[in-house]
Short mmCIF file of all heavy atoms in Angstrom, two decimals:
data_model
loop_
_atom_site.label_atom_id
_atom_site.label_comp_id
_atom_site.label_asym_id
_atom_site.label_seq_id
_atom_site.Cartn_x
_atom_site.Cartn_y
_atom_site.Cartn_z
N GLY A 1 -41.65 -78.21 85.79
CA GLY A 1 -41.44 -79.34 86.58
C GLY A 1 -40.02 -79.91 86.47
O GLY A 1 -39.42 -80.32 87.50
N GLY A 2 -39.47 -79.81 85.29
CA GLY A 2 -38.11 -80.31 85.08
C GLY A 2 -37.06 -79.31 85.72
O GLY A 2 -35.99 -79.74 86.24
N LEU A 3 -37.45 -78.10 85.85
CA LEU A 3 -36.45 -77.09 86.44
C LEU A 3 -36.33 -77.26 87.91
O LEU A 3 -35.37 -76.74 88.49
CB LEU A 3 -36.94 -75.69 86.07
CG LEU A 3 -36.82 -75.24 84.65
CD1 LEU A 3 -37.49 -73.90 84.41
CD2 LEU A 3 -35.28 -75.29 84.30
N GLU A 4 -37.26 -77.93 88.57
CA GLU A 4 -37.10 -78.09 90.02
C GLU A 4 -35.84 -78.93 90.33
O GLU A 4 -34.98 -78.53 91.21
CB GLU A 4 -38.26 -78.82 90.67
CG GLU A 4 -39.56 -77.95 90.74
CD GLU A 4 -40.71 -78.76 91.25
OE1 GLU A 4 -40.69 -79.92 91.43
OE2 GLU A 4 -41.82 -78.00 91.50
N LEU A 5 -35.70 -80.06 89.58
CA LEU A 5 -34.38 -80.74 89.84
C LEU A 5 -33.24 -80.08 89.41
O LEU A 5 -32.18 -80.08 90.00
CB LEU A 5 -34.48 -82.13 89.02
CG LEU A 5 -33.32 -83.12 89.21
CD1 LEU A 5 -33.11 -83.49 90.62
CD2 LEU A 5 -33.46 -84.34 88.25
N GLY A 6 -33.36 -79.26 88.31
CA GLY A 6 -32.22 -78.45 87.80
C GLY A 6 -31.79 -77.39 88.85
O GLY A 6 -30.66 -77.15 89.04
N ARG A 7 -32.75 -76.84 89.52
CA ARG A 7 -32.38 -75.84 90.50
C ARG A 7 -31.76 -76.45 91.66
O ARG A 7 -30.80 -75.80 92.28
CB ARG A 7 -33.72 -75.07 90.94
CG ARG A 7 -34.31 -74.13 89.93
CD ARG A 7 -35.36 -73.26 90.32
NE ARG A 7 -35.81 -72.37 89.33
CZ ARG A 7 -37.04 -72.51 88.70
NH1 ARG A 7 -37.80 -73.46 89.08
NH2 ARG A 7 -37.39 -71.63 87.73
N ILE A 8 -32.15 -77.58 92.07
CA ILE A 8 -31.46 -78.35 93.19
C ILE A 8 -30.04 -78.64 92.78
O ILE A 8 -29.08 -78.52 93.60
CB ILE A 8 -32.23 -79.60 93.52
CG1 ILE A 8 -33.61 -79.23 94.22
CG2 ILE A 8 -31.28 -80.49 94.48
CD1 ILE A 8 -34.45 -80.48 94.47
N ASN A 9 -29.82 -79.02 91.49
CA ASN A 9 -28.49 -79.31 91.01
C ASN A 9 -27.61 -78.07 91.03
O ASN A 9 -26.48 -78.12 91.48
CB ASN A 9 -28.56 -79.83 89.60
CG ASN A 9 -27.21 -80.02 88.92
OD1 ASN A 9 -26.58 -79.02 88.59
ND2 ASN A 9 -26.87 -81.26 88.66
N VAL A 10 -28.19 -76.93 90.54
CA VAL A 10 -27.42 -75.76 90.51
C VAL A 10 -27.11 -75.30 91.98
O VAL A 10 -25.96 -74.77 92.36
CB VAL A 10 -28.21 -74.66 89.86
CG1 VAL A 10 -27.46 -73.19 90.02
CG2 VAL A 10 -28.28 -74.99 88.38
N ALA A 11 -28.07 -75.43 92.94
CA ALA A 11 -27.73 -75.07 94.30
C ALA A 11 -26.70 -76.03 94.82
O ALA A 11 -25.78 -75.45 95.63
CB ALA A 11 -29.04 -75.28 95.22
N ALA A 12 -26.65 -77.28 94.52
CA ALA A 12 -25.59 -78.28 95.00
C ALA A 12 -24.33 -77.87 94.43
O ALA A 12 -23.29 -77.93 95.10
CB ALA A 12 -25.95 -79.63 94.61
N ARG A 13 -24.34 -77.31 93.17
CA ARG A 13 -22.95 -76.85 92.56
C ARG A 13 -22.50 -75.63 93.50
O ARG A 13 -21.32 -75.51 93.71
CB ARG A 13 -23.24 -76.32 91.14
CG ARG A 13 -23.55 -77.44 90.11
CD ARG A 13 -23.41 -76.82 88.80
NE ARG A 13 -24.62 -77.17 87.99
CZ ARG A 13 -24.69 -76.80 86.68
NH1 ARG A 13 -23.81 -76.00 86.14
NH2 ARG A 13 -25.74 -77.14 86.04
N GLY A 14 -23.43 -74.71 93.87
CA GLY A 14 -23.07 -73.65 94.59
C GLY A 14 -22.44 -74.06 96.02
O GLY A 14 -21.43 -73.39 96.41
N VAL A 15 -23.04 -75.10 96.62
CA VAL A 15 -22.44 -75.56 97.75
C VAL A 15 -20.96 -76.07 97.57
O VAL A 15 -20.03 -75.74 98.35
CB VAL A 15 -23.26 -76.73 98.38
CG1 VAL A 15 -22.58 -77.34 99.60
CG2 VAL A 15 -24.60 -76.28 98.93
N GLY A 16 -20.80 -76.81 96.57
CA GLY A 16 -19.51 -77.35 96.22
C GLY A 16 -18.45 -76.25 95.98
O GLY A 16 -17.44 -76.35 96.48
N LEU A 17 -18.82 -75.23 95.14
CA LEU A 17 -17.95 -74.10 94.81
C LEU A 17 -17.67 -73.36 96.02
O LEU A 17 -16.54 -72.91 96.25
CB LEU A 17 -18.63 -73.32 93.73
CG LEU A 17 -17.77 -72.27 93.07
CD1 LEU A 17 -16.49 -72.83 92.60
CD2 LEU A 17 -18.50 -71.50 91.95
N ALA A 18 -18.56 -73.04 96.86
CA ALA A 18 -18.50 -72.27 98.04
C ALA A 18 -17.52 -73.00 99.07
O ALA A 18 -16.63 -72.34 99.62
CB ALA A 18 -19.79 -71.97 98.73
N ASN A 19 -17.67 -74.29 99.13
CA ASN A 19 -16.74 -75.07 100.07
C ASN A 19 -15.31 -75.10 99.45
O ASN A 19 -14.37 -75.09 100.25
CB ASN A 19 -17.34 -76.39 100.24
CG ASN A 19 -16.67 -77.11 101.40
OD1 ASN A 19 -16.61 -76.53 102.43
ND2 ASN A 19 -16.25 -78.34 101.30
N ALA A 20 -15.26 -75.18 98.11
CA ALA A 20 -13.85 -75.09 97.50
C ALA A 20 -13.17 -73.97 97.83
O ALA A 20 -11.90 -73.93 98.22
CB ALA A 20 -14.00 -75.34 96.03
N ALA A 21 -13.87 -72.79 97.77
CA ALA A 21 -13.21 -71.53 98.13
C ALA A 21 -12.86 -71.34 99.62
O ALA A 21 -11.78 -70.97 99.97
CB ALA A 21 -14.25 -70.38 97.75
N LEU A 22 -13.76 -72.04 100.44
CA LEU A 22 -13.47 -72.05 101.85
C LEU A 22 -12.28 -72.82 102.14
O LEU A 22 -11.30 -72.46 102.84
CB LEU A 22 -14.65 -72.55 102.56
CG LEU A 22 -14.42 -72.86 104.11
CD1 LEU A 22 -13.96 -71.61 104.89
CD2 LEU A 22 -15.75 -73.49 104.68
N GLN A 23 -12.22 -74.06 101.68
CA GLN A 23 -11.10 -74.98 101.97
C GLN A 23 -9.77 -74.39 101.32
O GLN A 23 -8.80 -74.58 102.07
CB GLN A 23 -11.37 -76.33 101.32
CG GLN A 23 -12.58 -77.03 101.97
CD GLN A 23 -12.51 -77.24 103.38
OE1 GLN A 23 -11.52 -77.53 103.99
NE2 GLN A 23 -13.61 -76.95 104.06
N ALA A 24 -9.81 -73.85 100.19
CA ALA A 24 -8.52 -73.23 99.70
C ALA A 24 -8.14 -72.08 100.58
O ALA A 24 -6.90 -71.90 100.79
CB ALA A 24 -8.77 -72.69 98.24
N SER A 25 -8.97 -71.24 101.11
CA SER A 25 -8.70 -70.18 101.99
C SER A 25 -8.14 -70.72 103.36
O SER A 25 -7.28 -70.05 103.88
CB SER A 25 -9.93 -69.28 102.09
OG SER A 25 -10.28 -68.80 100.95
N LEU A 26 -8.77 -71.74 103.89
CA LEU A 26 -8.36 -72.23 105.10
C LEU A 26 -6.85 -72.70 104.98
O LEU A 26 -5.99 -72.51 105.92
CB LEU A 26 -9.19 -73.44 105.58
CG LEU A 26 -10.58 -72.95 106.14
CD1 LEU A 26 -11.44 -74.27 106.24
CD2 LEU A 26 -10.43 -72.37 107.55
N ARG A 27 -6.54 -73.43 103.88
CA ARG A 27 -5.18 -73.93 103.71
C ARG A 27 -4.18 -72.78 103.61
O ARG A 27 -3.21 -72.78 104.27
CB ARG A 27 -5.08 -74.82 102.44
CG ARG A 27 -5.85 -76.17 102.61
CD ARG A 27 -5.44 -77.15 101.38
NE ARG A 27 -5.86 -76.50 100.19
CZ ARG A 27 -7.11 -76.79 99.64
NH1 ARG A 27 -7.92 -77.60 100.29
NH2 ARG A 27 -7.58 -76.25 98.53
N TYR A 28 -4.57 -71.84 102.80
CA TYR A 28 -3.69 -70.67 102.56
C TYR A 28 -3.37 -69.79 103.83
O TYR A 28 -2.27 -69.34 104.03
CB TYR A 28 -4.17 -69.82 101.36
CG TYR A 28 -3.26 -68.77 101.00
CD1 TYR A 28 -2.11 -69.02 100.22
CD2 TYR A 28 -3.44 -67.37 101.37
CE1 TYR A 28 -1.28 -68.03 99.86
CE2 TYR A 28 -2.67 -66.43 100.93
CZ TYR A 28 -1.46 -66.70 100.18
OH TYR A 28 -0.59 -65.73 99.77
N SER A 29 -4.46 -69.74 104.65
CA SER A 29 -4.30 -69.00 105.71
C SER A 29 -3.38 -69.56 106.86
O SER A 29 -2.88 -68.81 107.76
CB SER A 29 -5.70 -68.78 106.51
OG SER A 29 -6.12 -69.89 107.04
N THR A 30 -3.10 -70.84 106.67
CA THR A 30 -2.12 -71.45 107.60
C THR A 30 -0.79 -71.30 106.98
O THR A 30 0.39 -71.51 107.72
CB THR A 30 -2.43 -72.87 107.88
OG1 THR A 30 -2.31 -73.78 106.62
CG2 THR A 30 -3.81 -73.14 108.40
N GLU A 31 -0.61 -71.08 105.76
CA GLU A 31 0.73 -71.03 105.09
C GLU A 31 1.27 -69.62 104.92
O GLU A 31 2.55 -69.49 105.13
CB GLU A 31 0.58 -71.62 103.72
CG GLU A 31 0.03 -73.16 103.66
CD GLU A 31 -0.28 -73.50 102.35
OE1 GLU A 31 -0.34 -72.71 101.26
OE2 GLU A 31 -0.73 -74.77 102.13
N ARG A 32 0.57 -68.76 104.53
CA ARG A 32 0.93 -67.36 104.24
C ARG A 32 1.16 -66.60 105.65
O ARG A 32 0.25 -66.63 106.59
CB ARG A 32 -0.16 -66.61 103.44
CG ARG A 32 0.05 -65.16 103.26
CD ARG A 32 1.41 -64.83 102.51
NE ARG A 32 1.44 -63.40 102.14
CZ ARG A 32 2.50 -62.86 101.62
NH1 ARG A 32 3.61 -63.49 101.51
NH2 ARG A 32 2.46 -61.58 101.31
N GLN A 33 2.22 -65.98 105.80
CA GLN A 33 2.54 -65.37 107.08
C GLN A 33 2.72 -63.74 106.78
O GLN A 33 3.32 -63.38 105.81
CB GLN A 33 3.80 -65.84 107.74
CG GLN A 33 3.73 -67.22 108.15
CD GLN A 33 4.74 -67.68 109.14
OE1 GLN A 33 5.57 -66.79 109.65
NE2 GLN A 33 4.78 -68.97 109.57
N THR A 34 2.28 -63.00 107.77
CA THR A 34 2.44 -61.60 107.83
C THR A 34 2.66 -61.17 109.24
O THR A 34 2.04 -61.73 110.18
CB THR A 34 1.25 -60.71 107.30
OG1 THR A 34 0.09 -60.98 108.01
CG2 THR A 34 0.99 -61.09 105.77
N MET A 35 3.51 -60.22 109.46
CA MET A 35 3.81 -59.71 110.80
C MET A 35 4.18 -60.87 111.76
O MET A 35 3.80 -60.89 112.96
CB MET A 35 2.66 -58.95 111.34
CG MET A 35 2.25 -57.80 110.43
SD MET A 35 0.74 -56.86 110.98
CE MET A 35 0.38 -55.88 109.65
N GLY A 36 4.93 -61.90 111.20
CA GLY A 36 5.54 -62.88 112.11
C GLY A 36 4.52 -64.05 112.48
O GLY A 36 4.91 -64.92 113.21
N LYS A 37 3.38 -64.06 111.76
CA LYS A 37 2.51 -65.22 112.06
C LYS A 37 1.57 -65.47 110.89
O LYS A 37 1.42 -64.67 110.01
CB LYS A 37 1.68 -64.90 113.37
CG LYS A 37 0.75 -63.68 113.24
CD LYS A 37 0.05 -63.50 114.62
CE LYS A 37 -0.86 -62.14 114.55
NZ LYS A 37 -1.47 -61.98 115.88
N PRO A 38 0.99 -66.75 110.84
CA PRO A 38 -0.01 -67.08 109.73
C PRO A 38 -1.07 -66.13 109.71
O PRO A 38 -1.50 -65.75 110.72
CB PRO A 38 -0.40 -68.49 110.07
CG PRO A 38 0.65 -69.08 110.96
CD PRO A 38 1.20 -67.89 111.82
N ILE A 39 -1.48 -65.77 108.51
CA ILE A 39 -2.59 -64.70 108.43
C ILE A 39 -3.82 -65.29 109.07
O ILE A 39 -4.78 -64.54 109.37
CB ILE A 39 -2.84 -64.41 106.87
CG1 ILE A 39 -3.32 -65.63 106.15
CG2 ILE A 39 -1.67 -63.59 106.32
CD1 ILE A 39 -3.83 -65.24 104.67
N GLY A 40 -4.07 -66.53 109.21
CA GLY A 40 -5.18 -67.10 109.82
C GLY A 40 -5.23 -66.88 111.22
O GLY A 40 -6.30 -67.00 111.90
N GLN A 41 -4.20 -66.26 111.84
CA GLN A 41 -4.27 -65.92 113.22
C GLN A 41 -4.60 -64.41 113.34
O GLN A 41 -4.76 -63.94 114.51
CB GLN A 41 -2.86 -66.13 113.89
CG GLN A 41 -2.54 -67.62 114.08
CD GLN A 41 -1.20 -67.91 114.75
OE1 GLN A 41 -0.78 -67.02 115.37
NE2 GLN A 41 -0.66 -69.11 114.49
N HIS A 42 -4.76 -63.64 112.30
CA HIS A 42 -5.28 -62.28 112.38
C HIS A 42 -6.79 -62.35 112.40
O HIS A 42 -7.41 -63.07 111.59
CB HIS A 42 -4.81 -61.57 111.19
CG HIS A 42 -3.36 -61.31 111.09
ND1 HIS A 42 -2.62 -60.67 112.04
CD2 HIS A 42 -2.40 -61.83 110.21
CE1 HIS A 42 -1.25 -60.67 111.80
NE2 HIS A 42 -1.21 -61.39 110.61
N GLN A 43 -7.42 -61.60 113.24
CA GLN A 43 -8.81 -61.60 113.43
C GLN A 43 -9.59 -61.19 112.13
O GLN A 43 -10.66 -61.73 111.89
CB GLN A 43 -9.21 -60.68 114.54
CG GLN A 43 -10.76 -60.80 114.91
CD GLN A 43 -11.13 -59.91 116.11
OE1 GLN A 43 -10.69 -58.73 116.12
NE2 GLN A 43 -11.84 -60.47 117.06
N ALA A 44 -8.97 -60.29 111.36
CA ALA A 44 -9.59 -59.92 110.14
C ALA A 44 -9.78 -61.11 109.19
O ALA A 44 -10.94 -61.23 108.52
CB ALA A 44 -8.83 -58.76 109.38
N ILE A 45 -8.87 -61.92 109.00
CA ILE A 45 -9.00 -63.22 108.27
C ILE A 45 -9.89 -64.19 108.93
O ILE A 45 -10.72 -64.78 108.26
CB ILE A 45 -7.67 -63.70 108.01
CG1 ILE A 45 -6.65 -62.74 107.34
CG2 ILE A 45 -7.82 -65.00 107.17
CD1 ILE A 45 -7.28 -62.32 105.99
N GLN A 46 -9.88 -64.36 110.17
CA GLN A 46 -10.78 -65.23 110.93
C GLN A 46 -12.18 -64.86 110.74
O GLN A 46 -13.04 -65.86 110.55
CB GLN A 46 -10.44 -65.23 112.42
CG GLN A 46 -9.03 -65.82 112.71
CD GLN A 46 -8.65 -65.58 114.24
OE1 GLN A 46 -9.30 -64.90 114.89
NE2 GLN A 46 -7.61 -66.29 114.65
#
């Protein structure tokens, strides 16, 4: 019974960590350039 709340907490941690990785990647994709344009404009990164 106690682990139910614990699993929700761990899942919420996963959301936070996944979003942190996403936001860091979004920022970097506008800063880093290759072939004359930000990497975020390359379809592979998109």
Side-chain angles (χ1 to χ4, degrees):
L3 288 174
E4 288 180 349
L5 181 63
R7 290 189 179 108
I8 292 171
N9 173 291
V10 173
R13 290 192 228 178
V15 173
L17 188 55
N19 197 46
L22 169 62
Q23 297 304 321
S25 299
L26 285 169
R27 287 191 298 271
Y28 187 72
S29 69
T30 66
E31 299 166 357
R32 173 66 169 165
Q33 294 199 6
T34 62
M35 303 176 189
K37 59 183 178 181
I39 62 172
Q41 293 183 19
H42 294 295
Q43 189 177 44
I45 301 300
Q46 292 173 350

